Amino acid sequence: IPSEIGLLSRLRDLSLFSNTLSGAIPKELSNLYNLITILNLTSNSLTGTVPMELGMMSNIQKLDLSNNKLANSMLHLGNSASFKYLNVSHNNLTSFSFGQNWKQLEILDLSKNRINQK
């Protein structure tokens, strides 16, 4: 995902699923302040961890990062209070922390990861 995507400041929904995108998720996605409903990056080959800046976005209701190669903890996702849907299934996560601010969360999918495996 090119970092220039952060320049699209009026963007409201972003769906980039099934595009064989690879590499890390750019922190510049957090510049999309008007992104209100959906950020869908499912079914790509994204690696690494989710940038801390993404967890600070206060408007995203649906975040779908499933079917990628994301690893490491996603502690910082707990900062966002707007999630209603969070899907990080089918990745390489070995741990996951629940956010205390997730009072709006209705759907959480953590399936097909490596959580708590040694």
Side-chain angles (χ1 to χ4, degrees):
I1 303 172
S3 61
E4 291 82 9
I5 199 154
L7 299 174
L8 304 173
S9 61
R10 296 183 56 99
L11 203 62
R12 295 177 56 86
D13 294 335
L14 179 59
S15 293
L16 295 173
F17 61 93
S18 298
N19 278 297
T20 61
L21 298 170
S22 61
I25 298 172
K27 65 181 180 180
E28 287 81 7
L29 278 176
S30 66
N31 294 337
L32 303 177
Y33 299 110
N34 288 320
L35 203 61
I36 292 177
T37 310
I38 299 171
L39 177 54
N40 187 345
L41 301 177
T42 190
S43 299
N44 285 291
S45 294
L46 299 171
T47 57
T49 190
V50 176
M52 184 176 2
E53 292 84 358
L54 196 63
M56 293 183 215
M57 295 178 76
S58 60
N59 295 331
I60 297 176
Q61 294 177 11
K62 180 178 180 180
L63 179 59
D64 196 336
L65 301 173
S66 62
N67 293 305
N68 279 289
K69 298 175 182 174
L70 298 171
N72 303 323
S73 174
M74 296 197 180
L75 293 171
H76 48 278
L77 285 181
N79 295 332
S80 181
S82 59
F83 292 141
K84 289 186 177 184
Y85 175 96
L86 178 58
N87 188 346
V88 291
S89 67
H90 295 86
N91 277 289
N92 296 319
L93 301 178
T94 56
S95 65
F96 189 86
S97 293
F98 297 94
Q100 294 178 348
N101 296 329
W102 293 350
K103 304 210 184 311
Q104 302 297 317
L105 191 65
E106 297 173 4
I107 298 172
L108 175 63
D109 192 344
L110 300 171
S111 60
K112 301 289 183 175
N113 278 289
R114 298 180 177 149
I115 297 172
N116 290 332
Q117 291 184 1
K118 295 185 180 195

